Each structure stands twice: as structure tokens, then as C-alpha cells.
Amino acid sequence: MDSSATQSSPEASRFLSETESELLDLSVEAQRADWVYATYITPDSEALSARAFARFVAATVRRAKESTRFGPGELGPIDRRKTLLLRLSLPLIAPDDPAESLELTRLVAAMQGAYARGRHVPVGQTSPLDLQGLSRILSESRDPALLADVWTGWHAVGRVVRPEFLRYVELANRGARGLGFADQGAMWRSKYDMEPDAFAREVDRLWSEVAPLYRSLHAYVRSRLAAVYGSDRVPERGPIPSQFLGNMWAQSWESIFPLLAPPGADPGFDLTKLLVDRATSPEEMVRYAERFFVSLGLPALPPTFWERSMFVRPRDREVVCHASAWDVDAEEDLRIKMCIEITGEDFQTIHHELGHNYYQRAYAPQPYLFRDSAHDGFHEAVGDTIQLSVTPEYLVRIGLLDRAPDASRDIGLLLFRALEKVAFLPFGLAVDRWRWEVFSGALAPEEYNPSWWSIRRHYQGIVPPAPRSADEFDPGAKYHVPANVPYMRYFLAHILQFQFHRALVRTAGVPGPLHRASIYGSDAAGRSLGAMLALGMSREWPDALEVVTGERRMSTAGLLEYFAPLQRWLDEQNRSAPVGW
Ligand code: X8Z
Ligand code: ZN
């Protein structure tokens, strides 16, 4: 007999409503402190932010433990889900000992600060550059010695955070175990409404379906790079040296598009140039993105968004430049924090960030414990779905482009998109494949760096510019590792955004191939998306997925349909070239 209640006992209801109001209070305080820290890094703001976060984490853990006293007979279905989520609501769990708990949140704040302060003086230059300056060289320079120098110079930041990272793994695992998880990686995998092992298998299934497309892209890019740099630098059969791919982590490759553009199918416009030629300001870039969401029937952003956001890097102080979206009071205090540069890439990132803000706003009416996305891949996918609607025809409609390239340029457009989105897939997977092994204890600290590279070589088919030693710590040179942000969400988002795009394009009734279809201006698409966002985390994610797509499983069909013409073209190009590494 099912002993689950249909309604909670009065005691359980009271407990949950007190829990939600206490945690809301502490989370607002922690967010305010963190905002100050991230936009003004000092030893004081670091200490205050770590302390506020520690208080919030400790209260969540205490409440999660207390909630176990209510059996299923005392909890209605809504409160049952809330108690389940309470245990899963944080990416970091504090150990019981208050000193250790504060130590842990301090370590994370300190690692973020060290990452933000990373600088390197490129060979032949005299002043130190930050990550943005170094990234610009990686995307623009074709000088092999400079590329390797800049890559290596930035990765030195990993060594700085390594000792803190080792201690953080120990304490974070202790916290996760205290709440009954095997380790912190198992805790991260438990947030998908399925068994953690089943989730890992689901990720493998998705990857196996898209890996052939990635391998075709990899082979084409490798043969073009070999032609540019010579086969002594880019071997025709092996993995690609990472520094030639135009991005610090080789996670997306669109900045080397000019080296790879198919003859006769170059789309003939460059979004960066269009924005720069019009002297577009950072704020205007954000306005473009806002207007897209408004065109779907969603509300304009509140005035405080424009007053409180950080759009550009301040000259006079250290900040965390990695882009993020904030929902400070869970009501109307939405913000983004970015160091916007006038580039096509940042234009896309702004849409990504506003996707977070529109999600946060849509689920704000939900109770505290349901104010999150269906799963974390959904949060990351919303703005990216809008990015897919930034088509040449859309750019013409908003007056950024005079004339859209004709269908003979489709392969160029698709190749550019694949360099952004398909190249990302194995990176999105590799980061947490590695971290899961770190947290489970399968790797000893001296194996951290070697295994980071064997995992990246395995999935991405890339290698570092030169062999790396075991005391380097290259994962520490990627923001999400020192900042304790789970990464599998981005892999999922790169699949989901095509699933959403395909469904929304159909709902909007837009004809034509997926890569030319934009949902701009569609109320019908906006209503469908809005209905999914408004659910927040109140239901299991297949329910949310169904609202937009009619499907209850994550599917690669949208992505594969989108890139089908490119896949055929790549296969032809690769006929005489080796594929794989
Ligand atoms: O971190 C981000 C966003 C903030 S959630 C800018 N992204 C990942 C990254 O930069 O590594 C977006 C794509 C992947
Ligand atoms: Zn994001």
C-alpha cells in the first residue's frame, strides 16, 4: 500500500515554509556580498562574501538534515519534492565543523580571486595582459611562437590555485558525504531526476550520437590547419595542438573561421565588423538582446537592471570578468556582470546571459525551492536557443546587415555555427568527466594534470603546445574549476538548444531549413517558451521539456537535422583525408 500523503501535516508545512523564508533571506545576503566581491575584489570583500556564503550553506545543510524527520506519510507531493531539492540545492556542501565550513567557502572565493588576477606578459611585449587580452591574441594571431607563449602564460594560473584546489576537494567531499552522497561528483549527478549512474549513461548516449559529426569537423579543421601551419606543426593524423584553435581552452573555434572558410561559400559578413562599424556601445548590444526577448512577448527588463548591471571592465579595480547573470532578490533585481567587448562573440554571450535573467524572472513567482531551471542544462540553453535565431535574415530585419547571403553560402554559415557549437560538445563533456574522477578519488593529485590531458585528448582530439608536467594544474586555468561551477550543464545545453530551436521554429510556423529560421517576433514561440520557464523546478524536467517539444527525452535529432547539410559536405571534403586521432 502506498503510504504517501496527499497533503502535508501542519508541522511539516510549517517547517518547509520557515525553511524557505530563512534560506531566501540568507541567499539574498550571500548574493549581495558576492556581487560586491565579484565587482570589487579586495581582501575585505572576499572575506565578507565567503562568510555570507558559509552562513547560507550551513543553514541549508541544517534544514536538509532536519527535514529527514518527516516520513512520506507526512509530506504531500509538493513538499516531498521540496525536501528532495533542499538536499540538492547547492553546488557545495559545508562540513559540519563551522571552521571547516568557513575554510571551504574561503577557498572557493580565494581561487576565484586568484583566477581573476591572472596576467601574463606575452613574448616580445612589455605589459601584462589579462585573460581577455591573451584570448584576443589567441583568436587573431597566426604566429605559432606567440600562440604557444600566450597559451602557456595563461595556464600558469593553474599552478597558483592548485594547493587550494586539493584542500577544497577534501572539504567539499566531506560536506557531500555528510548529506549522504558518495562524493561531490555523485551529488552533482543526482540533480537530474534519475539515478546518478543512469545520468552518466545518458550523457554517453548523447555523446555517441553526435561524436561522428565532431570527428568529421575535427578532420576538416586539422587538414586546413596543416595547410596553414605545416604538417610538422599540425600533424595530418594525430590530435590538434590546442593553441591553433583560436580559443584558450579550444572549446569553440569560430575565431579561426577565416582560415577555414570554404571557397565560394564564405557568408561574406562578420558580425564583429558590423557592430564596430556602427560604433555600437556595450549597452546597445544588451538592448539588441533585450529587444529579441520582448519581440517574443516577454516583458522588458526592469530599470534596476540597467542601473545595477556591470557591462564593462572598470579601469580602477579587479573584478571577475567571466560573464554571469544574477537574480539578487528573487523578485525584480536582475543583473548581468560582463566585461563586454564589441565582438560577435560577446553579442552571443549577452543573449546567453539574458536567457538566464528571463528564466529567473519567469520562475520568480514559484516558492523558493522551485526557483531554478528544470535541470541546469535548461538554464544554460535558453539564451543559446535565442542565439540560434540570430540568422542573417534576422540581422537584416534589425538593420545590422544590408542583405542576407543567398543559399550558395549555407555551408559557410553552417561551418561557422559548427565551430561555435559542435566543437564545444566534447569540451563540455570532458571537464566534468575529469572532475567526477577527481571527486570520486579515482585520481590521486599527481594524476590530476596527466589525466586532464588524456581525457581531453580522448574526447576532443587535442594536445597542449608542449608536454605538461604533473605539477602544472591546467584545469585550474578554466574559470568553472576554481569557481566550483558544475560543467556538464553546458554539454546538455548544447544538445537541448537545438531541440528547443527545432520545436519553437515549428510552433512559430517559420518555414525553411533550421539554420535559416528565426523565431524573432513570434508570440506563439514566446508563449511556449514562457510556459516552460514559468514551471521552474516545480516538476521533473521531462515535464518541462514536453511543454516546448512534446518530447520527454533529451534528443540529438534537432542538432543532427540542423547540421545535416554540413555533415554531407564534410564527408566529401574528408574523402581523401584521415578521420580520427
Ligand atoms: O560560462 C559560460 C557563461 C556563463 S554561465 C558565459 N559559458 C561556458 C563557458 O564560457 O565556458 C557559456 C558557454 C560555456
Ligand atoms: Zn550561463
Side-chain angles (χ1 to χ4, degrees), residues 215-246:
R215 291 160 66 85
S216 301
L217 180 69
H218 178 280
Y220 172 73
V221 168
R222 179 176 55 190
S223 75
R224 296 293 312 138
L225 288 177
V228 172
Y229 290 106
S231 52
D232 51 333
R233 292 208 173 87
V234 181
E236 275 155 35
R237 289 176 187 277
I240 305 175
S242 182
Q243 73 275 22
F244 295 120
L245 289 162

PDB file of all heavy atoms in Angstrom, residues 215-246:
ATOM      1  N   ARG A 215      33.864  14.350 -35.162  1.00  0.00           N
ATOM      2  CA  ARG A 215      35.079  13.791 -35.774  1.00  0.00           C
ATOM      3  C   ARG A 215      35.255  14.296 -37.211  1.00  0.00           C
ATOM      4  O   ARG A 215      36.376  14.560 -37.661  1.00  0.00           O
ATOM      5  CB  ARG A 215      35.032  12.263 -35.741  1.00  0.00           C
ATOM      6  CG  ARG A 215      35.167  11.713 -34.315  1.00  0.00           C
ATOM      7  CD  ARG A 215      34.633  10.292 -34.217  1.00  0.00           C
ATOM      8  NE  ARG A 215      35.444   9.353 -34.997  1.00  0.00           N
ATOM      9  CZ  ARG A 215      36.542   8.782 -34.548  1.00  0.00           C
ATOM     10  NH1 ARG A 215      36.970   9.067 -33.322  1.00  0.00           N
ATOM     11  NH2 ARG A 215      37.218   7.932 -35.293  1.00  0.00           N
ATOM     12  N   SER A 216      34.153  14.441 -37.929  1.00  0.00           N
ATOM     13  CA  SER A 216      34.244  14.974 -39.302  1.00  0.00           C
ATOM     14  C   SER A 216      34.733  16.417 -39.279  1.00  0.00           C
ATOM     15  O   SER A 216      35.562  16.818 -40.103  1.00  0.00           O
ATOM     16  CB  SER A 216      32.876  14.933 -39.996  1.00  0.00           C
ATOM     17  OG  SER A 216      32.390  13.627 -40.038  1.00  0.00           O
ATOM     18  N   LEU A 217      34.191  17.193 -38.350  1.00  0.00           N
ATOM     19  CA  LEU A 217      34.612  18.596 -38.241  1.00  0.00           C
ATOM     20  C   LEU A 217      36.095  18.673 -37.875  1.00  0.00           C
ATOM     21  O   LEU A 217      36.870  19.442 -38.457  1.00  0.00           O
ATOM     22  CB  LEU A 217      33.764  19.300 -37.171  1.00  0.00           C
ATOM     23  CG  LEU A 217      34.090  20.773 -36.930  1.00  0.00           C
ATOM     24  CD1 LEU A 217      33.678  21.621 -38.143  1.00  0.00           C
ATOM     25  CD2 LEU A 217      33.374  21.295 -35.675  1.00  0.00           C
ATOM     26  N   HIS A 218      36.485  17.854 -36.897  1.00  0.00           N
ATOM     27  CA  HIS A 218      37.879  17.816 -36.439  1.00  0.00           C
ATOM     28  C   HIS A 218      38.818  17.494 -37.611  1.00  0.00           C
ATOM     29  O   HIS A 218      39.855  18.157 -37.793  1.00  0.00           O
ATOM     30  CB  HIS A 218      37.965  16.765 -35.325  1.00  0.00           C
ATOM     31  CG  HIS A 218      39.337  16.554 -34.751  1.00  0.00           C
ATOM     32  ND1 HIS A 218      40.294  15.776 -35.360  1.00  0.00           N
ATOM     33  CD2 HIS A 218      39.906  16.999 -33.598  1.00  0.00           C
ATOM     34  CE1 HIS A 218      41.396  15.757 -34.615  1.00  0.00           C
ATOM     35  NE2 HIS A 218      41.188  16.496 -33.536  1.00  0.00           N
ATOM     36  N   ALA A 219      38.445  16.510 -38.405  1.00  0.00           N
ATOM     37  CA  ALA A 219      39.315  16.103 -39.514  1.00  0.00           C
ATOM     38  C   ALA A 219      39.462  17.229 -40.534  1.00  0.00           C
ATOM     39  O   ALA A 219      40.557  17.499 -41.042  1.00  0.00           O
ATOM     40  CB  ALA A 219      38.753  14.842 -40.183  1.00  0.00           C
ATOM     41  N   TYR A 220      38.359  17.904 -40.838  1.00  0.00           N
ATOM     42  CA  TYR A 220      38.415  19.004 -41.816  1.00  0.00           C
ATOM     43  C   TYR A 220      39.291  20.140 -41.287  1.00  0.00           C
ATOM     44  O   TYR A 220      40.177  20.642 -41.985  1.00  0.00           O
ATOM     45  CB  TYR A 220      36.991  19.505 -42.121  1.00  0.00           C
ATOM     46  CG  TYR A 220      36.997  20.754 -42.975  1.00  0.00           C
ATOM     47  CD1 TYR A 220      37.334  20.695 -44.329  1.00  0.00           C
ATOM     48  CD2 TYR A 220      36.699  21.997 -42.420  1.00  0.00           C
ATOM     49  CE1 TYR A 220      37.371  21.849 -45.108  1.00  0.00           C
ATOM     50  CE2 TYR A 220      36.738  23.158 -43.196  1.00  0.00           C
ATOM     51  CZ  TYR A 220      37.075  23.077 -44.536  1.00  0.00           C
ATOM     52  OH  TYR A 220      37.129  24.218 -45.299  1.00  0.00           O
ATOM     53  N   VAL A 221      39.069  20.509 -40.029  1.00  0.00           N
ATOM     54  CA  VAL A 221      39.824  21.615 -39.432  1.00  0.00           C
ATOM     55  C   VAL A 221      41.313  21.260 -39.391  1.00  0.00           C
ATOM     56  O   VAL A 221      42.176  22.078 -39.728  1.00  0.00           O
ATOM     57  CB  VAL A 221      39.280  21.927 -38.019  1.00  0.00           C
ATOM     58  CG1 VAL A 221      40.203  22.863 -37.262  1.00  0.00           C
ATOM     59  CG2 VAL A 221      37.871  22.525 -38.113  1.00  0.00           C
ATOM     60  N   ARG A 222      41.601  20.021 -39.003  1.00  0.00           N
ATOM     61  CA  ARG A 222      43.011  19.608 -38.932  1.00  0.00           C
ATOM     62  C   ARG A 222      43.690  19.705 -40.291  1.00  0.00           C
ATOM     63  O   ARG A 222      44.817  20.192 -40.400  1.00  0.00           O
ATOM     64  CB  ARG A 222      43.089  18.176 -38.398  1.00  0.00           C
ATOM     65  CG  ARG A 222      44.503  17.631 -38.310  1.00  0.00           C
ATOM     66  CD  ARG A 222      44.521  16.253 -37.679  1.00  0.00           C
ATOM     67  NE  ARG A 222      43.626  15.342 -38.390  1.00  0.00           N
ATOM     68  CZ  ARG A 222      43.295  14.142 -37.953  1.00  0.00           C
ATOM     69  NH1 ARG A 222      43.774  13.699 -36.790  1.00  0.00           N
ATOM     70  NH2 ARG A 222      42.476  13.377 -38.650  1.00  0.00           N
ATOM     71  N   SER A 223      43.002  19.282 -41.346  1.00  0.00           N
ATOM     72  CA  SER A 223      43.672  19.315 -42.642  1.00  0.00           C
ATOM     73  C   SER A 223      43.871  20.762 -43.113  1.00  0.00           C
ATOM     74  O   SER A 223      44.884  21.094 -43.707  1.00  0.00           O
ATOM     75  CB  SER A 223      42.937  18.465 -43.684  1.00  0.00           C
ATOM     76  OG  SER A 223      41.786  19.145 -44.106  1.00  0.00           O
ATOM     77  N   ARG A 224      42.918  21.648 -42.793  1.00  0.00           N
ATOM     78  CA  ARG A 224      43.101  23.059 -43.162  1.00  0.00           C
ATOM     79  C   ARG A 224      44.244  23.681 -42.337  1.00  0.00           C
ATOM     80  O   ARG A 224      45.049  24.436 -42.858  1.00  0.00           O
ATOM     81  CB  ARG A 224      41.824  23.866 -42.949  1.00  0.00           C
ATOM     82  CG  ARG A 224      40.631  23.468 -43.809  1.00  0.00           C
ATOM     83  CD  ARG A 224      40.848  23.769 -45.277  1.00  0.00           C
ATOM     84  NE  ARG A 224      41.361  25.123 -45.460  1.00  0.00           N
ATOM     85  CZ  ARG A 224      42.331  25.468 -46.300  1.00  0.00           C
ATOM     86  NH1 ARG A 224      42.911  24.549 -47.046  1.00  0.00           N
ATOM     87  NH2 ARG A 224      42.711  26.725 -46.393  1.00  0.00           N
ATOM     88  N   LEU A 225      44.292  23.370 -41.049  1.00  0.00           N
ATOM     89  CA  LEU A 225      45.355  23.941 -40.205  1.00  0.00           C
ATOM     90  C   LEU A 225      46.723  23.415 -40.634  1.00  0.00           C
ATOM     91  O   LEU A 225      47.718  24.146 -40.602  1.00  0.00           O
ATOM     92  CB  LEU A 225      45.107  23.640 -38.730  1.00  0.00           C
ATOM     93  CG  LEU A 225      43.961  24.408 -38.069  1.00  0.00           C
ATOM     94  CD1 LEU A 225      43.771  23.947 -36.621  1.00  0.00           C
ATOM     95  CD2 LEU A 225      44.199  25.925 -38.105  1.00  0.00           C
ATOM     96  N   ALA A 226      46.767  22.157 -41.052  1.00  0.00           N
ATOM     97  CA  ALA A 226      48.035  21.601 -41.535  1.00  0.00           C
ATOM     98  C   ALA A 226      48.483  22.373 -42.774  1.00  0.00           C
ATOM     99  O   ALA A 226      49.674  22.649 -42.956  1.00  0.00           O
ATOM    100  CB  ALA A 226      47.882  20.110 -41.838  1.00  0.00           C
ATOM    101  N   ALA A 227      47.517  22.754 -43.622  1.00  0.00           N
ATOM    102  CA  ALA A 227      47.867  23.520 -44.821  1.00  0.00           C
ATOM    103  C   ALA A 227      48.393  24.906 -44.442  1.00  0.00           C
ATOM    104  O   ALA A 227      49.296  25.435 -45.088  1.00  0.00           O
ATOM    105  CB  ALA A 227      46.656  23.630 -45.747  1.00  0.00           C
ATOM    106  N   VAL A 228      47.843  25.498 -43.387  1.00  0.00           N
ATOM    107  CA  VAL A 228      48.262  26.842 -42.978  1.00  0.00           C
ATOM    108  C   VAL A 228      49.598  26.812 -42.226  1.00  0.00           C
ATOM    109  O   VAL A 228      50.499  27.598 -42.520  1.00  0.00           O
ATOM    110  CB  VAL A 228      47.182  27.503 -42.089  1.00  0.00           C
ATOM    111  CG1 VAL A 228      47.681  28.823 -41.496  1.00  0.00           C
ATOM    112  CG2 VAL A 228      45.892  27.726 -42.877  1.00  0.00           C
ATOM    113  N   TYR A 229      49.706  25.915 -41.253  1.00  0.00           N
ATOM    114  CA  TYR A 229      50.875  25.941 -40.360  1.00  0.00           C
ATOM    115  C   TYR A 229      51.954  24.908 -40.722  1.00  0.00           C
ATOM    116  O   TYR A 229      53.016  24.915 -40.119  1.00  0.00           O
ATOM    117  CB  TYR A 229      50.431  25.719 -38.912  1.00  0.00           C
ATOM    118  CG  TYR A 229      49.652  26.904 -38.336  1.00  0.00           C
ATOM    119  CD1 TYR A 229      48.267  26.831 -38.150  1.00  0.00           C
ATOM    120  CD2 TYR A 229      50.299  28.090 -37.983  1.00  0.00           C
ATOM    121  CE1 TYR A 229      47.552  27.903 -37.629  1.00  0.00           C
ATOM    122  CE2 TYR A 229      49.592  29.165 -37.462  1.00  0.00           C
ATOM    123  CZ  TYR A 229      48.220  29.070 -37.285  1.00  0.00           C
ATOM    124  OH  TYR A 229      47.522  30.130 -36.767  1.00  0.00           O
ATOM    125  N   GLY A 230      51.621  24.014 -41.642  1.00  0.00           N
ATOM    126  CA  GLY A 230      52.582  22.967 -41.998  1.00  0.00           C
ATOM    127  C   GLY A 230      52.344  21.705 -41.180  1.00  0.00           C
ATOM    128  O   GLY A 230      51.944  21.782 -40.010  1.00  0.00           O
ATOM    129  N   SER A 231      52.608  20.544 -41.796  1.00  0.00           N
ATOM    130  CA  SER A 231      52.247  19.297 -41.109  1.00  0.00           C
ATOM    131  C   SER A 231      53.267  18.926 -40.024  1.00  0.00           C
ATOM    132  O   SER A 231      53.049  17.995 -39.263  1.00  0.00           O
ATOM    133  CB  SER A 231      52.038  18.149 -42.089  1.00  0.00           C
ATOM    134  OG  SER A 231      53.162  18.068 -42.918  1.00  0.00           O
ATOM    135  N   ASP A 232      54.367  19.698 -39.927  1.00  0.00           N
ATOM    136  CA  ASP A 232      55.238  19.457 -38.771  1.00  0.00           C
ATOM    137  C   ASP A 232      54.624  20.077 -37.513  1.00  0.00           C
ATOM    138  O   ASP A 232      54.871  19.607 -36.396  1.00  0.00           O
ATOM    139  CB  ASP A 232      56.652  20.019 -39.019  1.00  0.00           C
ATOM    140  CG  ASP A 232      56.608  21.470 -39.493  1.00  0.00           C
ATOM    141  OD1 ASP A 232      55.573  21.861 -40.107  1.00  0.00           O
ATOM    142  OD2 ASP A 232      57.569  22.217 -39.235  1.00  0.00           O
ATOM    143  N   ARG A 233      53.797  21.096 -37.676  1.00  0.00           N
ATOM    144  CA  ARG A 233      53.144  21.709 -36.505  1.00  0.00           C
ATOM    145  C   ARG A 233      51.766  21.104 -36.235  1.00  0.00           C
ATOM    146  O   ARG A 233      51.362  20.952 -35.092  1.00  0.00           O
ATOM    147  CB  ARG A 233      52.981  23.211 -36.719  1.00  0.00           C
ATOM    148  CG  ARG A 233      54.311  23.947 -36.724  1.00  0.00           C
ATOM    149  CD  ARG A 233      54.113  25.380 -36.265  1.00  0.00           C
ATOM    150  NE  ARG A 233      55.400  26.041 -36.096  1.00  0.00           N
ATOM    151  CZ  ARG A 233      56.055  26.657 -37.073  1.00  0.00           C
ATOM    152  NH1 ARG A 233      55.536  26.697 -38.295  1.00  0.00           N
ATOM    153  NH2 ARG A 233      57.217  27.234 -36.842  1.00  0.00           N
ATOM    154  N   VAL A 234      51.027  20.840 -37.296  1.00  0.00           N
ATOM    155  CA  VAL A 234      49.705  20.215 -37.137  1.00  0.00           C
ATOM    156  C   VAL A 234      49.720  18.902 -37.916  1.00  0.00           C
ATOM    157  O   VAL A 234      49.511  18.876 -39.120  1.00  0.00           O
ATOM    158  CB  VAL A 234      48.581  21.142 -37.661  1.00  0.00           C
ATOM    159  CG1 VAL A 234      47.221  20.483 -37.457  1.00  0.00           C
ATOM    160  CG2 VAL A 234      48.630  22.506 -36.961  1.00  0.00           C
ATOM    161  N   PRO A 235      49.990  17.800 -37.221  1.00  0.00           N
ATOM    162  CA  PRO A 235      50.148  16.514 -37.908  1.00  0.00           C
ATOM    163  C   PRO A 235      48.846  16.079 -38.579  1.00  0.00           C
ATOM    164  O   PRO A 235      47.766  16.324 -38.068  1.00  0.00           O
ATOM    165  CB  PRO A 235      50.528  15.544 -36.788  1.00  0.00           C
ATOM    166  CG  PRO A 235      50.134  16.228 -35.521  1.00  0.00           C
ATOM    167  CD  PRO A 235      50.149  17.701 -35.776  1.00  0.00           C
ATOM    168  N   GLU A 236      48.960  15.451 -39.746  1.00  0.00           N
ATOM    169  CA  GLU A 236      47.762  15.126 -40.505  1.00  0.00           C
ATOM    170  C   GLU A 236      46.930  14.005 -39.904  1.00  0.00           C
ATOM    171  O   GLU A 236      45.777  13.824 -40.280  1.00  0.00           O
ATOM    172  CB  GLU A 236      48.128  14.830 -41.960  1.00  0.00           C
ATOM    173  CG  GLU A 236      48.203  16.145 -42.750  1.00  0.00           C
ATOM    174  CD  GLU A 236      49.098  16.085 -43.986  1.00  0.00           C
ATOM    175  OE1 GLU A 236      49.136  15.014 -44.623  1.00  0.00           O
ATOM    176  OE2 GLU A 236      49.760  17.106 -44.286  1.00  0.00           O
ATOM    177  N   ARG A 237      47.482  13.258 -38.952  1.00  0.00           N
ATOM    178  CA  ARG A 237      46.708  12.158 -38.384  1.00  0.00           C
ATOM    179  C   ARG A 237      46.414  12.295 -36.886  1.00  0.00           C
ATOM    180  O   ARG A 237      45.407  11.811 -36.413  1.00  0.00           O
ATOM    181  CB  ARG A 237      47.433  10.816 -38.597  1.00  0.00           C
ATOM    182  CG  ARG A 237      47.397  10.414 -40.013  1.00  0.00           C
ATOM    183  CD  ARG A 237      48.158   9.148 -40.343  1.00  0.00           C
ATOM    184  NE  ARG A 237      48.146   9.026 -41.788  1.00  0.00           N
ATOM    185  CZ  ARG A 237      47.134   8.506 -42.472  1.00  0.00           C
ATOM    186  NH1 ARG A 237      46.094   8.000 -41.844  1.00  0.00           N
ATOM    187  NH2 ARG A 237      47.162   8.474 -43.799  1.00  0.00           N
ATOM    188  N   GLY A 238      47.259  12.920 -36.141  1.00  0.00           N
ATOM    189  CA  GLY A 238      47.121  12.901 -34.684  1.00  0.00           C
ATOM    190  C   GLY A 238      46.194  13.991 -34.159  1.00  0.00           C
ATOM    191  O   GLY A 238      45.463  14.634 -34.914  1.00  0.00           O
ATOM    192  N   PRO A 239      46.222  14.185 -32.852  1.00  0.00           N
ATOM    193  CA  PRO A 239      45.445  15.264 -32.241  1.00  0.00           C
ATOM    194  C   PRO A 239      45.966  16.650 -32.640  1.00  0.00           C
ATOM    195  O   PRO A 239      47.130  16.790 -33.016  1.00  0.00           O
ATOM    196  CB  PRO A 239      45.630  15.041 -30.738  1.00  0.00           C
ATOM    197  CG  PRO A 239      46.735  14.073 -30.586  1.00  0.00           C
ATOM    198  CD  PRO A 239      46.991  13.401 -31.888  1.00  0.00           C
ATOM    199  N   ILE A 240      45.104  17.651 -32.531  1.00  0.00           N
ATOM    200  CA  ILE A 240      45.466  19.020 -32.933  1.00  0.00           C
ATOM    201  C   ILE A 240      46.062  19.756 -31.729  1.00  0.00           C
ATOM    202  O   ILE A 240      45.474  19.742 -30.647  1.00  0.00           O
ATOM    203  CB  ILE A 240      44.216  19.794 -33.420  1.00  0.00           C
ATOM    204  CG1 ILE A 240      43.508  19.035 -34.539  1.00  0.00           C
ATOM    205  CG2 ILE A 240      44.595  21.210 -33.870  1.00  0.00           C
ATOM    206  CD1 ILE A 240      42.194  19.680 -34.991  1.00  0.00           C
ATOM    207  N   PRO A 241      47.213  20.415 -31.895  1.00  0.00           N
ATOM    208  CA  PRO A 241      47.722  21.244 -30.789  1.00  0.00           C
ATOM    209  C   PRO A 241      46.727  22.374 -30.487  1.00  0.00           C
ATOM    210  O   PRO A 241      46.302  23.108 -31.374  1.00  0.00           O
ATOM    211  CB  PRO A 241      49.046  21.776 -31.325  1.00  0.00           C
ATOM    212  CG  PRO A 241      49.443  20.802 -32.408  1.00  0.00           C
ATOM    213  CD  PRO A 241      48.146  20.353 -33.024  1.00  0.00           C
ATOM    214  N   SER A 242      46.397  22.462 -29.227  1.00  0.00           N
ATOM    215  CA  SER A 242      45.308  23.305 -28.757  1.00  0.00           C
ATOM    216  C   SER A 242      45.449  24.785 -29.126  1.00  0.00           C
ATOM    217  O   SER A 242      44.459  25.477 -29.384  1.00  0.00           O
ATOM    218  CB  SER A 242      45.260  23.138 -27.236  1.00  0.00           C
ATOM    219  OG  SER A 242      44.239  23.856 -26.680  1.00  0.00           O
ATOM    220  N   GLN A 243      46.698  25.275 -29.169  1.00  0.00           N
ATOM    221  CA  GLN A 243      46.896  26.724 -29.347  1.00  0.00           C
ATOM    222  C   GLN A 243      46.510  27.229 -30.732  1.00  0.00           C
ATOM    223  O   GLN A 243      46.432  28.438 -30.942  1.00  0.00           O
ATOM    224  CB  GLN A 243      48.352  27.101 -29.027  1.00  0.00           C
ATOM    225  CG  GLN A 243      49.388  26.678 -30.058  1.00  0.00           C
ATOM    226  CD  GLN A 243      49.872  25.254 -29.849  1.00  0.00           C
ATOM    227  OE1 GLN A 243      49.205  24.421 -29.226  1.00  0.00           O
ATOM    228  NE2 GLN A 243      51.049  24.944 -30.363  1.00  0.00           N
ATOM    229  N   PHE A 244      46.257  26.290 -31.674  1.00  0.00           N
ATOM    230  CA  PHE A 244      45.909  26.741 -33.030  1.00  0.00           C
ATOM    231  C   PHE A 244      44.407  26.886 -33.235  1.00  0.00           C
ATOM    232  O   PHE A 244      43.951  27.186 -34.334  1.00  0.00           O
ATOM    233  CB  PHE A 244      46.471  25.758 -34.074  1.00  0.00           C
ATOM    234  CG  PHE A 244      47.976  25.725 -34.093  1.00  0.00           C
ATOM    235  CD1 PHE A 244      48.669  24.549 -33.821  1.00  0.00           C
ATOM    236  CD2 PHE A 244      48.702  26.876 -34.375  1.00  0.00           C
ATOM    237  CE1 PHE A 244      50.060  24.522 -33.837  1.00  0.00           C
ATOM    238  CE2 PHE A 244      50.096  26.856 -34.396  1.00  0.00           C
ATOM    239  CZ  PHE A 244      50.777  25.682 -34.116  1.00  0.00           C
ATOM    240  N   LEU A 245      43.622  26.614 -32.206  1.00  0.00           N
ATOM    241  CA  LEU A 245      42.168  26.548 -32.414  1.00  0.00           C
ATOM    242  C   LEU A 245      41.433  27.846 -32.057  1.00  0.00           C
ATOM    243  O   LEU A 245      40.208  27.901 -32.092  1.00  0.00           O
ATOM    244  CB  LEU A 245      41.601  25.333 -31.669  1.00  0.00           C
ATOM    245  CG  LEU A 245      42.039  24.026 -32.364  1.00  0.00           C
ATOM    246  CD1 LEU A 245      41.888  22.821 -31.442  1.00  0.00           C
ATOM    247  CD2 LEU A 245      41.247  23.803 -33.647  1.00  0.00           C
ATOM    248  N   GLY A 246      42.197  28.881 -31.699  1.00  0.00           N
ATOM    249  CA  GLY A 246      41.577  30.209 -31.600  1.00  0.00           C
ATOM    250  C   GLY A 246      40.934  30.534 -30.275  1.00  0.00           C
ATOM    251  O   GLY A 246      40.330  31.597 -30.127  1.00  0.00           O
TER     252      GLY A 246
END
